[in-house]
Amino acid sequence: MKKKIFGLIVVLGVVLITMASGHGLDFVFLYPMFMSILWIIGGIYFYYHWETKPGRDAAPQFRNPPLVSIVIPCYNESLNVHDTIAAAAAQNYPRFEIVAVNDGSTDETGAVLDGLTRTYPMLRVVHLATNQGKGLALQMGALAAKGDYLVCIDGDALMTPDTTSWLIAPMIRNARVGAVTGNPRIRTRSTLLGRIQIGEFSSIIGLIKRSQRIYGNIFTVSGVIVAFRRSALQRCGYWSLNMMTDDIDISWLLQLNHWQIQYEPMALCWILMPETFKGLWKQRLRWAQGGAEVFFKNVPKMLSWRNRRM
């Protein structure tokens, strides 16, 4: 019931703002104001409904833990991949393997990964002859993985020791959950732009994800830290290979196939972000174009009554 009420509030708010706007400039200011209020309300509700539950101060424990495969696509990550593998290998979860995919790197990434297999016995490396893109690298990693649950991170991301446990727990508790998106935090802080993004990710994006979780549909998982149920990926045909943003596309594929996506703020992951305006512009432009691609691709499916919530 709460999801229907929350969705109705969103629709009515947008309609009222549109009707009240004398011209487009009003909408530009009123719409973000309305949505920010909605996000704050959603964040408060999420906190009291989920984050204050007993036991939230300790990582989940598992009686019969399933095997989890941590899949790491890497392209020219020779400077970062050692720390990424070390953080992944330090997980407190009792049963896991690491599958690193060298996506045709032109630097020393492949050699570094091969050397790390001698240090970390749970690590296996898949080498692709040429760069094929993150979507195919993830798909190759998923096919090579042995676990029924996949934790996918970027080649420069650092998981905290309990991240895997927090990501897997919702899927074990609920068979309808096909993916759980984690909580990325910025670790690049040498410039003002990097520090601004710290606030963006720790507050704004967190509030948006919490509000979308209440509604029941999440626009996109965080591609840098997300866990999937293998059977859900198989039903969706894994990642599309012709989309600009693999994370947005797989999010919509899962939800259009009636899998739930949940957000777990305790599943922390430290990530690198652009610290120049040029780099940030290229990144956000790619996100916007990728979101538009996914939207137009799925318009016919959204017209179906079964997918009305999308």
Side-chain angles (χ1 to χ4, degrees):
M1 186 66 182
K2 64 180 182 293
K3 295 179 181 179
K4 293 181 179 179
I5 295 173
F6 199 77
L8 185 61
I9 292 172
V10 174
V11 173
L12 288 176
V14 173
V15 170
L16 289 173
I17 290 171
T18 304
M19 293 173 63
S21 299
H23 47 77
L25 193 59
D26 290 342
F27 185 85
V28 169
F29 286 101
L30 290 174
Y31 177 72
M33 184 182 297
F34 168 75
M35 291 307 296
S36 63
I37 295 171
L38 195 71
W39 295 333
I40 292 170
I41 295 172
I44 293 172
Y45 180 89
F46 185 97
Y47 173 76
Y48 284 106
H49 187 73
W50 278 296
E51 295 185 77
T52 57
K53 284 185 175 181
R56 287 288 296 183
D57 55 341
Q61 300 297 315
F62 305 91
R63 186 169 299 176
N64 297 303
L67 176 65
V68 173
S69 299
I70 301 175
V71 179
I72 310 176
C74 305
Y75 177 67
N76 289 352
E77 294 288 358
S78 59
L79 299 178
N80 302 305
V81 73
H82 185 283
D83 293 338
T84 298
I85 298 295
Q91 293 299 289
N92 291 328
Y93 186 80
R95 293 185 65 208
F96 69 94
E97 65 168 357
I98 304 173
V99 179
V101 182
N102 173 28
D103 187 17
S105 298
T106 57
D107 64 359
E108 298 300 316
T109 299
V112 173
L113 287 172
D114 288 338
L116 289 172
T117 58
R118 294 188 287 271
T119 304
Y120 303 104
M122 74 286 288
L123 171 63
R124 290 186 290 126
V125 181
V126 176
H127 293 282
L128 303 183
T130 59
N131 179 242
Q132 301 290 323
K134 186 179 177 182
L136 183 62
L138 285 169
Q139 193 158 322
M140 292 298 101
L143 294 176
K146 300 176 182 178
D148 291 329
Y149 299 92
L150 309 178
V151 173
C152 302
I153 64 173
D154 282 355
D156 57 6
L158 304 180
M159 293 194 293
T160 57
D162 292 320
T163 295
T164 296
S165 299
W166 284 111
L167 287 172
I168 299 304
M171 289 188 283
I172 294 177
R173 289 194 300 262
N174 188 343
R176 291 186 59 199
V177 177
V180 179
T181 181
N183 186 2
R185 294 294 181 89
I186 309 299
R187 62 188 176 103
T188 42
R189 308 182 177 202
S190 59
T191 67
L192 177 61
L193 193 60
R195 293 173 184 173
I196 290 173
Q197 291 177 86
I198 295 172
E200 177 192 17
F201 271 76
S202 61
S203 59
I204 299 173
I205 292 179
L207 287 176
I208 293 173
K209 286 284 194 293
R210 285 171 170 85
S211 300
Q212 291 175 347
R213 170 70 181 92
I214 293 169
Y215 173 70
N217 290 78
I218 290 179
F219 181 79
T220 179
V221 299
S222 297
V224 68
I225 175 65
V226 58
F228 296 100
R229 188 187 300 273
R230 179 188 287 277
S231 59
L233 290 172
Q234 288 175 335
R235 273 185 54 183
C236 296
Y238 293 95
W239 293 266
S240 301
L241 304 182
N242 59 347
M243 303 300 291
M244 185 173 292
T245 47
D246 57 273
D247 46 3
I248 303 177
D249 181 63
I250 195 64
S251 304
W252 284 52
L253 281 174
L254 288 168
Q255 291 173 123
L256 285 168
N257 278 274
H258 307 289
W259 289 97
Q260 287 185 13
I261 295 178
Q262 293 190 7
Y263 170 64
E264 179 48 73
M266 296 295 288
L268 297 176
C269 183
W270 296 94
I271 65 173
L272 298 174
M273 291 292 284
E275 289 196 281
T276 64
F277 282 105
K278 181 180 179 180
L280 187 65
W281 169 259
K282 289 175 64 178
Q283 180 197 63
R284 300 308 166 97
L285 183 62
R286 184 177 63 86
W287 288 359
Q289 290 178 339
E293 278 183 359
V294 172
F295 176 77
F296 286 114
K297 170 189 172 183
N298 292 290
V299 164
K301 297 178 183 178
M302 289 194 298
L303 297 177
S304 167
W305 178 251
R306 293 185 65 214
N307 298 321
R308 59 193 180 278
R309 287 184 55 77
M310 291 294 292

